Amino acid sequence: MRTLPWLTLFLMLLQSPAQASDMTIADTVFKLPLAEDVTMDDAVDSMLLRANALNFKLVARLPLSKELDAMGVPSKHIEIFQFCDARIAAQMLKANLDFSAYLPCRITLIEDQDGKPWLVTLDLDQVIGMADLPPDLKELATKVRDTMKEIMQAGANGDL
């Protein structure tokens, strides 16, 4: 029976309580704070420009905090961006449909409780490490990881 990569990780943690108690949700993400002089609008513009330059298509954008505000639920800024390179996605899915759970790649622009803006995404190093990929797919997965980090760096630094 095939298991999803995240389920495999969860099952491993269940088998080792000492390790499970050491792992937190923060251990599963990669995050960057925005530089002091970078506004959230600057970060968004920079991420969109960099993604475009790297041929990562913006496939969805969810202004979650605006949705919450419209429902009368107070919220700090939360906006989710979804990016994809369809060619890489197709190759990964051909190898293993479980990768569909990780598509498209997401970056969240979010304010913490103190009002500090952050960019947050899944730590792809963990996924790549447990995926047991053949060399060609590992190279593609590493490219996706590097591209996502580059998009986030551009946003965090306001690099246009």
Side-chain angles (χ1 to χ4, degrees), residues 9 27-28 42 60 70 81 88-89 92 103 112 114 118 126 133 135 150 154 157:
L9 178 61
D27 295 325
T28 67
D42 292 340
F81 300 85
I88 293 175
M92 299 301 281
L103 296 175
D112 66 19
D114 298 323
W118 293 85
Q126 290 189 20
L133 297 169
E150 186 173 339
N157 296 321

Side-chain angles (χ1 to χ4, degrees), residues 75-76 78 110-118:
S75 172
K76 293 191 178 279
I78 308 168
I110 187 167
E111 267 184 287
D112 66 19
Q113 294 306 315
D114 298 323
K116 175 77 178 155
W118 293 85

Side-chain angles (χ1 to χ4, degrees), residues 50-150:
R50 186 61 53 92
N52 188 51
L54 297 170
N55 294 317
F56 257 53
K57 183 176 180 178
L58 176 69
V59 295
R61 183 174 177 180
L62 173 62
L64 189 56
S65 51
K66 288 182 182 178
E67 294 283 333
L68 292 168
D69 288 343
M71 293 182 225
V73 178
S75 172
K76 293 191 178 279
H77 189 93
I78 308 168
E79 191 167 6
I80 302 167
F81 300 85
Q82 298 183 34
F83 298 96
C84 190
D85 180 322
R87 293 168 301 205
I88 293 175
Q91 290 180 55
M92 299 301 281
L93 293 173
K94 184 177 178 183
N96 186 337
L97 66 90
D98 292 344
F99 286 111
S100 65
Y102 297 98
L103 296 175
C105 296
R106 291 178 271 312
I107 298 173
T108 302
L109 174 59
I110 187 167
E111 267 184 287
D112 66 19
Q113 294 306 315
D114 298 323
K116 175 77 178 155
W118 293 85
L119 295 170
V120 183
T121 194
L122 177 68
D123 182 354
L124 290 177
D125 283 328
Q126 290 189 20
V127 176
I128 293 168
M130 69 179 164
D132 192 30
L133 297 169
D136 60 327
L137 291 182
K138 187 171 186 174
E139 184 178 327
L140 290 175
T142 301
K143 178 183 178 188
V144 168
R145 179 207 59 205
D146 293 346
T147 301
M148 291 295 289
K149 285 184 177 181
E150 186 173 339

